[in-house]
Amino acid sequence: VQLQASGGGLVQPGGSLRLSCVASAVTLDNYAVGWFRQAPGKEREEVSCIFTSDDSTWYVDSVKGRFTISRDNTKNTVYLQMNSLKPEDAAVYYCAAAHESLISSSFTHAQAMGIIADFGSWGQGTLVTVSS
């Protein structure tokens, strides 16, 4: 799986960005896709994920109500719409995808994100800067 993340940039606090994760060579609707971020000097953080069975979603508490993950199968793309951005959202954002066969329906979201992180394919990062 080859993934291409894009959409990062500089935005003022309170602003919005939409990140895109485009896949090539595979059909993304058979993959669980997660967004992760890593700020300078900090550990990688799981941000959000969209699963395949029913397109259920998961968000880390710090972004709930502000970020929305979605997929457009016609474009083989998963999006992360980020609204009401805060300085603490600034980071390099990465998308990763793991085939649905690797993720059991009995997995917790944390387990599923772990599978995506450890066994999935990663795209290159896109930098999000939130500053006035």
Side-chain angles (χ1 to χ4, degrees):
V1 180
Q2 291 183 323
L3 302 175
Q4 178 82 27
S6 63
L10 171 64
V11 64
Q12 293 184 341
S16 298
L17 285 173
R18 188 177 76 162
L19 305 184
S20 299
C21 179
V22 183
S24 57
V26 298
T27 303
L28 255 190
D29 57 354
N30 295 322
Y31 286 75
V33 179
W35 284 98
F36 302 77
R37 65 188 179 187
Q38 187 164 22
K42 294 187 177 181
E43 294 186 354
R44 187 181 66 199
E45 180 182 30
E46 300 164 347
V47 177
S48 181
C49 186
I50 187 165
F51 299 95
T52 59
S53 57
D54 56 0
D55 273 352
S56 62
T57 59
W58 171 86
Y59 301 91
V60 67
D61 285 347
S62 61
V63 308
K64 284 181 180 178
R66 300 188 298 121
F67 289 13
T68 302
I69 190 170
S70 62
R71 63 167 84 233
D72 184 340
N73 292 333
T74 66
K75 297 182 179 179
N76 218 23
T77 301
V78 169
Y79 300 102
L80 185 68
Q81 177 67 42
M82 306 187 297
N83 298 329
S84 302
L85 282 161
K86 303 175 181 180
E88 52 263 42
D89 295 318
V92 178
Y93 283 70
Y94 301 87
C95 63
H99 193 268
E100 60 185 351
S101 62
L102 296 177
I103 300 175
S104 168
S105 58
S106 65
F107 284 1
T108 65
H109 287 117
Q111 290 171 321
M113 289 293 278
I115 292 294
I116 294 171
D118 293 343
F119 298 103
S121 298
W122 287 78
Q124 90 296 349
T126 185
L127 178 64
V128 172
T129 304
V130 184
S131 175
S132 55

